[in-house]
Amino acid sequence: MKNKRKREQPRPAIHPRNKYSEKPPDFALLASFYPSFKPFVFYSRDGRPRIDWTDFNATRELTRILLHHDHGINWWIPDGQLCPTVPNRSNYIHWIEDLLLSDIIPRPNPNQDNVRGFDIGTGANCIYPLLGASLLGWRFVGSDVADVAIEWAERNVKSNPQISDLIEIRKAGTDASCSQVEDPYNENSNLERKVDHAVRDDCYSGPPILYGVVRDGETFDFCMCNPPFFESMEEAGLNPKTSCGGTVDEMVCPGGEKAFITRIIEDSVKLKHSFRWYTSMVGRKINLKFLTSKLREVGVTIVKTTEFVQGQTCRWGIAWSFVPPVKKIISTHVAEKPNLSFMLQGLQRQSSAFDVLQSIESFFRVSGASCKLNVSSFCVDVSASPTITITTISS
């Protein structure tokens, strides 16, 4: 039997709606417009203008002038704070825009009016609210725990009166632990115990992330997060090719990004439909499998992932929702017999078998049937009437 050649996957590219997708920043041109940037530009042997990416002052000045030149945003951060790259952060914004515009889950705002996002750990740079408000007119709440981050985020917002009404900066509390909290949103105590068991080994013990920061009755279209990727500052300093700054609060979390995003998952189970989409950036591809498995355990209706590419830097995005996916029943044959045949439409081509099972379960629940999803045997047991029981198995 001949071995099949493994199909080569095309390398992901910068998002097509990204301002820099077809025309990357021209350092020489920018230096001619902004004298403050000129000292940081040098020319390589091939004559191309470059900057030293290990120089924090150079990367900060580049971010400042790109935000001003291409987005009309006034911006600054003090020494040591995390300095974002504008093209990479724009990729994340446009991916969320894709999720909101998609037909994966119902759209309450077909015209994308009054979109409201929540930026977890907005930092002194406040980059996501500033970009989302300036590019797309989105409203934002940006949260953080550090006083210096709150102070400079507010400064950056106030420095841009054209969008300042769209952005609220919110201080997250400091009283948090891994112990279970009485949850007014949770309708399934068994599921809550399941989540507690799932996250026990990678328990996040820092300040509140979403639950306890989102106020009663608040709803958002999405949340986003550039989590602390590392478990220590020593680990954070292993990349000698870049210098983007970053405080301990921004860079480090016990358990790293895996523990931090796991806590977002835990919070999302409590908040459920307070958000249409929960999302986070992921720094290590190996963590995607772990996080996807956690999401399936807690019963989300859809999981999406993507890869963000900018230059030599790769990051990944993960998104999930508890909103039932859009689907249409083309035909059903509901005769009184032990096997029902039906067809689901509206699932994405890349939907996994688990997605199909969850869609089947959701359909029958909406129809008033009693059903039980058995993950271990990969089946859905459906009781459509006192006399009819159907087992639907997906392969």
Side-chain angles (χ1 to χ4, degrees):
M1 185 176 180
K2 293 183 180 180
N3 292 329
K4 293 183 179 179
R5 290 184 179 179
K6 189 175 181 179
R7 184 180 299 176
E8 291 186 3
Q9 296 294 327
R11 180 175 171 81
I14 190 170
H15 195 284
R17 287 198 302 281
N18 193 312
K19 188 180 288 288
Y20 309 99
S21 62
E22 297 181 359
K23 191 176 181 181
D26 184 332
F27 295 161
L29 181 63
L30 290 169
S32 69
F33 288 152
Y34 298 90
S36 60
F37 183 56
K38 190 173 182 179
F40 300 109
V41 178
F42 63 94
Y43 291 83
S44 60
R45 292 180 180 179
D46 58 8
R48 289 191 292 179
R50 299 180 181 277
I51 67 167
D52 181 1
W53 293 101
T54 66
D55 183 348
F56 174 80
N57 291 321
T59 57
R60 176 173 57 180
E61 185 63 12
L62 175 61
T63 295
R64 185 188 75 82
I65 64 175
L66 285 179
L67 287 172
H68 186 271
H69 187 75
D70 294 326
H71 302 278
I73 293 174
N74 298 309
W75 177 90
W76 190 250
I77 55 171
D79 292 351
Q81 298 296 309
L82 183 65
C83 181
T85 56
V86 178
N88 182 276
R89 299 305 198 266
S90 299
N91 278 341
Y92 192 178
I93 289 286
H94 288 301
W95 181 56
I96 290 180
E97 183 186 15
D98 289 341
L99 291 173
L100 297 179
L101 289 171
S102 72
D103 292 325
I104 301 172
I105 61 176
R107 285 186 282 165
N109 299 320
N111 299 322
Q112 291 297 286
D113 294 333
N114 299 318
V115 169
R116 192 173 186 225
F118 191 104
D119 181 23
I120 300 168
T122 196
N125 61 72
C126 194
I127 188 70
Y128 290 128
L130 291 171
L131 282 176
S134 64
L135 284 171
L136 300 164
W138 291 349
R139 294 183 174 275
F140 268 91
V141 170
S143 70
D144 211 291
V145 297
D147 291 335
V148 66
I150 295 293
E151 176 188 349
W152 278 91
E154 289 178 341
R155 284 193 190 188
N156 281 319
V157 171
K158 291 176 181 177
S159 296
N160 295 278
Q162 73 279 15
I163 56 174
S164 61
D165 288 345
L166 300 177
I167 302 172
E168 173 195 342
I169 303 301
R170 184 179 299 178
K171 179 73 179 289
T174 56
D175 182 18
S177 67
C178 285
S179 59
Q180 284 301 113
V181 182
E182 184 69 22
D183 177 17
Y185 296 93
N186 187 19
E187 299 175 357
N188 191 333
S189 58
N190 292 328
L191 179 60
E192 183 66 24
R193 287 193 292 272
K194 189 176 186 179
V195 176
D196 180 53
H197 175 75
V199 301
R200 193 174 298 150
D201 294 336
D202 295 296
C203 187
Y204 168 83
S205 58
I209 298 178
L210 281 177
Y211 189 68
V213 182
V214 174
R215 294 166 182 162
D216 289 345
E218 280 190 314
T219 58
F220 296 86
D221 291 282
F222 66 91
C223 69
M224 61 193 309
C225 179
N226 186 40
F229 294 133
F230 309 104
E231 296 189 54
S232 68
M233 286 302 284
E234 289 75 20
E235 182 186 4
L238 290 178
N239 186 355
K241 296 181 179 179
T242 62
S243 177
C244 295
T247 65
V248 173
D249 287 333
E250 293 173 307
M251 305 289 284
V252 173
C253 166
E257 66 178 12
K258 183 189 290 188
F260 194 90
I261 301 172
T262 299
R263 181 56 178 266
I264 299 178
I265 294 173
E266 182 183 26
D267 284 0
S268 74
V269 173
K270 296 176 180 179
L271 294 170
K272 284 285 179 63
H273 297 132
S274 296
F275 293 80
R276 290 179 59 220
W277 285 103
Y278 296 87
T279 80
S280 179
M281 194 180 285
V282 180
R284 295 178 176 177
K285 188 176 183 180
I286 192 173
N287 286 333
L288 283 178
K289 185 175 181 180
F290 170 87
L291 295 169
T292 300
S293 175
K294 294 299 181 187
L295 288 168
R296 288 174 174 171
E297 288 179 21
V298 302
V300 301
T301 58
I302 189 75
V303 180
K304 299 288 288 184
T305 61
T306 192
E307 184 174 356
F308 304 119
V309 175
Q310 180 61 37
Q312 299 301 312
T313 301
C314 290
R315 292 285 184 265
W316 292 265
I318 188 166
W320 65 96
S321 180
F322 292 92
V323 179
V326 173
K327 53 191 173 297
K328 297 178 181 178
I329 303 303
I330 295 179
S331 62
T332 56
H333 305 284
V334 197
E336 290 194 9
K337 54 185 180 181
N339 297 311
L340 300 183
S341 63
F342 60 91
M343 186 179 297
L344 287 173
Q345 182 185 40
L347 292 174
Q348 298 297 301
R349 187 180 184 86
Q350 64 269 32
S351 294
S352 67
F354 190 84
D355 294 329
V356 175
L357 274 183
Q358 287 192 320
S359 295
I360 293 170
E361 179 193 28
S362 176
F363 163 67
F364 280 113
R365 284 190 184 280
V366 170
S367 301
S370 172
C371 52
K372 180 180 180 182
L373 177 61
N374 190 325
V375 179
S376 60
S377 61
F378 220 63
C379 68
V380 182
D381 295 324
V382 183
S383 297
S385 74
T387 58
I388 302 176
T389 300
I390 312 99
T391 300
T392 305
I393 303 176
S394 176
S395 60

